[in-house]
Amino acid sequence: MKIMIKAVAALLVLSGALSLGSCRKDPTNTSTSGLSTIVCDASFQNIMDQEIDVFEYTTKGRANIIPYYVSEKACVDSLLDFKTKTIVIPRELNQKEIDYLKGHKKLVRTNRIAVDAIALIVNKDNPIEMLSISEIADILSGRVTQWNELSPNKLGEIQVVFDDEGSSTVQYMRDSLLHGGKFGDNVYAQHSNLEVFSQVQNRKGAIGIIGVSWISSDMRTRDLPREERIKTLSENDTTVADFDPAVKVLKVHRDDDIHAYKPYQAYIYEGNYPLYRSIYMISTGVNGSLSHGFFSFVTGTIGQKIIQRTGILPARVQPRMVNLY
């Protein structure tokens, strides 16, 4: 309902601007007030929703950030087509893209805001506990299609489920594990990360590939009133130390390492968990604008603590090291 209201507000502002043309000045826009958009990779929706909610609360309702959650390519296209001033994607702009924006007198700010881990989740009744990188590649390529090819297991066919065929998670796994190769016939796309989670809960032979923030048990704080969530952000320790118990999170190990790890923040920080990628916030907003104000908020202390609470690794705030069993 909140997103729908925001969308209607954005359309009203846009239609008003088009009807009045040059006879009316743009609405007042400061670093903490006005209306702005952000186009974000859909993999990070639950993270950015929290950032926006807290930011708008701190501005006492004067700021309104309209989010759009789409593919990585659509994010970049929106920035290059000047449809938005802020995007969040799992890569930096390439030199050609930067030169294009600079050619249109746009100042490009890029900040790594987090390191996201790609988690592998299975049904709680699946006896498997860990996979190697090569075993994951064999599953994705279709060279391995049955669970009993990996370990004693009676669950039969392996069904791999991703969020969406055009998602950055799909692209990451294809590029890093298959080196651009094709997925096997046992790989399926859903329509959201929540559907991936649901499929794994309901299908014993399924393995879900999903961003770690979607399985963090500490995401329960998003259901608290905003006042309570902001209070929790003032705590020194916001390190996530557990996952949602509704699914099993697999350990993963490199082929040259006998030690396997779950995607806990400490293991992401130390580089032990092998499936990870950086997340970047990119803005062409000028100083004093709302888009620049939101950029500063996400890259600042509170914004980074919000990210830490979601289970991924913030760029600026180091996790507390804990013993994980």
Side-chain angles (χ1 to χ4, degrees):
M1 180 62 71
K2 180 180 177 184
I3 294 175
M4 184 178 295
I5 292 173
K6 285 186 172 185
V8 171
L11 289 173
L12 289 174
V13 171
L14 179 60
S15 61
L18 291 175
S19 62
L20 294 175
S22 60
C23 297
R24 182 175 179 177
K25 295 181 179 180
D26 291 336
T28 302
N29 188 308
T30 71
S31 60
T32 57
S33 66
L35 179 69
S36 185
T37 63
I38 181 171
V39 183
C40 178
D41 188 295
S43 300
F44 316 128
Q45 177 175 348
N46 56 352
I47 300 170
M48 201 50 55
D49 278 347
Q50 290 203 60
E51 295 279 5
I52 291 170
D53 195 36
V54 175
F55 176 73
E56 290 182 343
Y57 180 79
T58 62
T59 66
K60 296 180 171 56
R62 295 189 300 269
N64 198 355
I65 307 293
I66 310 296
Y68 297 92
Y69 299 108
V70 295
S71 68
E72 175 191 317
K73 182 180 184 302
C75 291
V76 176
D77 288 346
S78 295
L79 189 69
L80 297 181
D81 291 339
F82 312 116
K83 295 178 180 178
T84 188
K85 295 183 175 66
T86 310
I87 63 173
V88 177
I89 56 175
R91 70 171 178 88
E92 297 180 272
L93 296 180
N94 59 43
Q95 194 59 50
K96 182 179 179 181
E97 293 162 343
I98 293 173
D99 290 343
Y100 176 82
L101 291 169
K102 287 183 175 179
H104 286 79
K105 303 186 185 309
K106 300 294 182 181
L107 175 63
V108 182
R109 292 182 174 89
T110 301
N111 202 317
R112 188 175 78 152
I113 59 173
V115 180
D116 182 33
I118 307 299
L120 274 61
I121 58 174
V122 296
N123 189 277
K124 291 193 298 183
D125 291 335
N126 193 326
I128 196 163
E129 298 291 340
M130 69 180 71
L131 289 170
S132 69
I133 290 296
S134 60
E135 287 172 334
I136 299 169
D138 287 341
I139 292 171
L140 293 176
S141 66
R143 290 188 294 268
V144 170
T145 60
Q146 301 290 319
W147 283 110
N148 62 14
E149 295 179 65
L150 299 169
S151 63
N153 197 313
K154 298 180 180 180
L155 294 183
E157 182 185 3
I158 302 172
Q159 302 108 27
V160 183
V161 287
F162 280 100
D163 53 344
D164 185 88
E165 61 182 355
S167 77
S168 61
T169 304
V170 170
Q171 191 65 40
Y172 171 85
M173 297 300 281
R174 180 186 286 119
D175 290 346
S176 59
L177 273 71
L178 300 186
H179 309 292
K182 293 182 179 180
F183 290 121
D185 294 335
N186 60 328
V187 178
Y188 305 92
Q190 304 302 304
H191 297 291
S192 70
N193 286 280
L194 291 176
E195 287 188 45
V196 173
F197 193 89
S198 177
Q199 286 290 322
V200 170
Q201 280 187 289
N202 297 317
R203 297 168 63 182
K204 292 185 178 181
I207 178 170
I209 300 177
I210 193 170
V212 73
S213 68
W214 293 92
I215 58 170
S216 166
S217 63
D218 275 35
M219 284 299 285
R220 62 181 177 270
T221 58
R222 65 186 165 189
D223 298 323
L224 295 173
R226 282 183 294 185
E227 295 87 344
E228 294 298 320
R229 272 186 285 133
I230 290 174
K231 285 181 181 178
T232 66
L233 292 170
S234 65
E235 300 170 0
N236 289 328
D237 180 23
T238 54
T239 299
V240 174
D242 207 355
F243 300 118
D244 194 313
V247 295
K248 179 190 289 187
V249 181
L250 297 185
K251 294 180 179 179
V252 178
H253 67 90
R254 294 182 174 85
D255 294 332
D256 59 353
D257 189 352
I258 61 173
H259 299 290
Y261 302 90
K262 288 187 178 183
Y264 289 113
Q265 288 167 320
Y267 296 147
I268 302 170
Y269 175 75
E270 293 177 337
N272 293 322
Y273 187 77
L275 301 176
Y276 63 89
R277 58 185 178 174
S278 294
I279 303 171
Y280 296 91
M281 194 170 194
I282 303 168
S283 177
T284 58
V286 298
N287 290 340
S289 67
L290 182 56
S291 56
H292 181 252
F294 184 58
F295 180 90
S296 299
F297 173 81
V298 175
T299 58
T301 301
I302 297 300
Q304 289 288 284
K305 280 195 171 185
I306 292 171
I307 288 174
Q308 188 163 3
R309 178 56 57 83
T310 68
I312 67 176
L313 184 68
R316 287 186 52 193
V317 184
Q318 295 184 2
R320 176 175 59 92
M321 297 302 170
V322 295
N323 291 323
L324 302 169
Y325 299 97

